[in-house]
């Protein structure tokens, strides 16, 4: 696990303001999984959702949930009460996640949507006490997975390049718990134990058999939908060959793959 420490600007006064915003929210200390597409985030969320105290729903696409105020009188009312559109959207986001947590009758919420890497500043602004898990996977394996699901290789390369760069930029400014998909497959017990500790719960061995629990529908658009995730068990890793494209190899080595100390990467 690697952690990067971020220091809040503004000193004690800023810290007090952040605490005040957090107190306004119904949901306290949510955890967000940040990853690229096809990185195993659905597996991680199912494993965590199998915990008796953790609710990890399918992708919510918070960035797509928007609020609109119509008419000058409506806008005037919001202005008078200092409720800008941005805050109205945050209130809605907060209500959605809090409602799901309440329905689950659990204590902690984890949300995973790959598109969240585009709105991390907004997530922090909405929930200043939020936690983040950064999940990485061999970029060559991500490309293979995207191609296997019907996309061209050039398109897959473009998507992965943009996603890797964006995730790295976001991670630089977070104090996050970092794991890899390969590590999760090779040593799920220890990776889950460390992740549980980060979230604030005690690891439960029953989490390993995530197929014994209800995780909702597996459907395209809100997470992985393939046979592997439906199997209900953690799959073994299989080797992915070193990519021929120099730019993809560079991305892989940037994340520690295909170097002298790299790990075997599953597809």
């Amino acid at each position: 696990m690697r952690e990067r420490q971020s220091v809040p600007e503004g000193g004690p006064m800023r810290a007090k303001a952040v605490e005040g915003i957090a107190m306004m929210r119904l949901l306290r200390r949510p955890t967000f999984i940040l990853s690229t597409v096809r990185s195993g985030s659905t597996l991680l969320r199912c494993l965590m959702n199998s915990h008796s105290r953790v609710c990890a729903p399918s992708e919510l696409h918070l960035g797509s949930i928007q609020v609109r105020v119509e008419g000058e009188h409506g806008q005037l009312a919001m202005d008078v009460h200092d409720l800008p559109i941005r805050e109205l959207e945050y209130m809605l986001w907060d209500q959605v996640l809090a409602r799901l947590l309440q329905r689950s009758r659990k204590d902690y919420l984890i949300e995973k949507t790959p598109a969240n890497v585009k709105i991390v500043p907004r997530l922090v602004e909405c929930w200043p006490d939020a936690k983040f898990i950064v999940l990485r996977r061999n970029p060559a394996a991500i490309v293979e997975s995207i191609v296997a699901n019907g996309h061209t290789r050039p398109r897959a390369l473009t998507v992965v390049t943009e996603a890797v760069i964006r995730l790295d930029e976001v991670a630089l400014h977070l104090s996050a718990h970092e794991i890899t998909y390969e590590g999760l497959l090779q040593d799920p017990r220890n990776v889950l134990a460390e992740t549980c500790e980060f979230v604030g719960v005690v690891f439960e061995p029953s989490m390993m058999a995530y197929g014994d629990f209800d995780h909702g529908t597996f459907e395209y658009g809100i997470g992985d939908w393939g046979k592997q995730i439906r199997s209900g068990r953690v799959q073994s890793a299989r080797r992915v060959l070193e990519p021929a494209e120099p730019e993809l190899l560079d991305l892989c080595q940037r994340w520690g793959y295909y170097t002298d100390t790299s790990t075997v990467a599953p597809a």
Side-chain angles (χ1 to χ4, degrees):
M1 178 182 73
R2 295 177 295 166
E3 292 193 3
R4 296 186 177 90
Q5 300 296 326
S6 59
V7 180
E9 298 179 359
M13 291 185 63
R14 170 59 178 165
K16 188 173 182 179
V18 165
E19 182 181 355
I21 295 173
M23 290 294 292
M24 293 169 56
R25 304 300 178 209
L26 297 173
L27 185 66
R28 303 301 301 275
R29 305 213 76 177
T31 299
F32 294 93
I33 298 171
L34 302 178
S35 70
T36 70
V37 297
R38 312 304 301 168
S39 288
S41 59
T42 299
L43 173 62
L44 179 58
R45 82 102 180 159
C46 288
L47 289 165
M48 295 304 297
N49 190 55
S50 300
H51 195 285
S52 63
R53 300 185 64 194
V54 177
C55 170
S58 56
E59 296 173 10
L60 293 172
H61 296 274
L62 292 176
S64 299
I65 302 176
Q66 301 176 356
V67 171
R68 181 177 65 191
V69 176
E70 295 185 342
E72 60 179 313
H73 294 160
Q75 187 60 60
L76 174 61
M78 295 300 98
D79 291 344
V80 166
H81 294 289
D82 192 24
L83 289 170
I85 293 293
R86 200 175 190 87
E87 176 57 22
L88 293 176
E89 289 181 349
Y90 291 164
M91 291 167 66
L92 180 55
W93 291 4
D94 185 51
Q95 181 67 238
V96 169
L97 267 63
R99 180 71 61 87
L100 291 176
L101 181 60
Q102 182 183 43
R103 286 178 183 173
S104 73
R105 298 186 178 182
K106 295 184 179 183
D107 304 303
Y108 296 86
L109 186 133
I110 296 178
E111 206 281 331
K112 78 97 182 172
T113 302
N116 279 346
V117 297
K118 300 177 182 178
I119 60 168
V120 168
R122 296 197 66 193
L123 295 175
V124 173
E125 190 174 32
C126 181
W127 293 283
D129 58 354
K131 295 182 176 183
F132 294 91
I133 297 170
V134 172
L135 171 65
R136 290 187 170 88
R137 183 186 184 185
N138 182 350
I142 301 174
V143 167
E144 297 295 339
S145 183
I146 293 175
V147 171
N149 282 281
H151 296 273
T152 66
R153 192 168 183 87
R155 174 57 181 162
L157 285 170
T158 298
V159 169
V160 171
T161 298
E162 293 176 352
V164 165
I165 292 173
R166 188 187 296 272
L167 184 59
D168 277 353
E169 289 175 347
V170 166
L172 279 174
H173 304 286
L174 295 174
S175 178
H177 176 67
E178 300 201 10
I179 63 178
T180 66
Y181 178 59
E182 293 79 21
L184 180 62
L185 294 190
Q186 291 171 357
D187 191 7
R189 179 178 291 271
N190 284 331
V191 171
L192 287 176
E194 291 177 355
T195 304
C196 285
E197 182 180 3
F198 177 77
V199 172
V201 296
V202 177
F203 169 71
E204 296 174 349
S206 59
M207 297 169 63
M208 303 279 290
Y210 73 87
D212 294 343
F213 302 87
D214 180 16
H215 305 292
T217 182
F218 294 112
E219 191 170 337
Y220 175 79
I222 54 173
D224 193 6
W225 65 97
K227 289 189 293 185
Q228 285 195 4
I229 195 66
R230 293 174 185 272
S231 72
R233 62 185 181 85
V234 179
Q235 302 289 318
S236 58
R238 67 185 180 88
R239 187 176 298 276
V240 175
L241 297 177
E242 182 176 308
E245 301 90 348
E247 64 274 23
L248 180 55
L249 180 58
D250 181 63
L251 290 178
C252 294
Q253 293 178 339
R254 175 174 176 162
W255 279 6
Y257 299 92
Y258 307 114
T259 63
D260 292 341
T261 58
S262 64
T263 59
V264 174

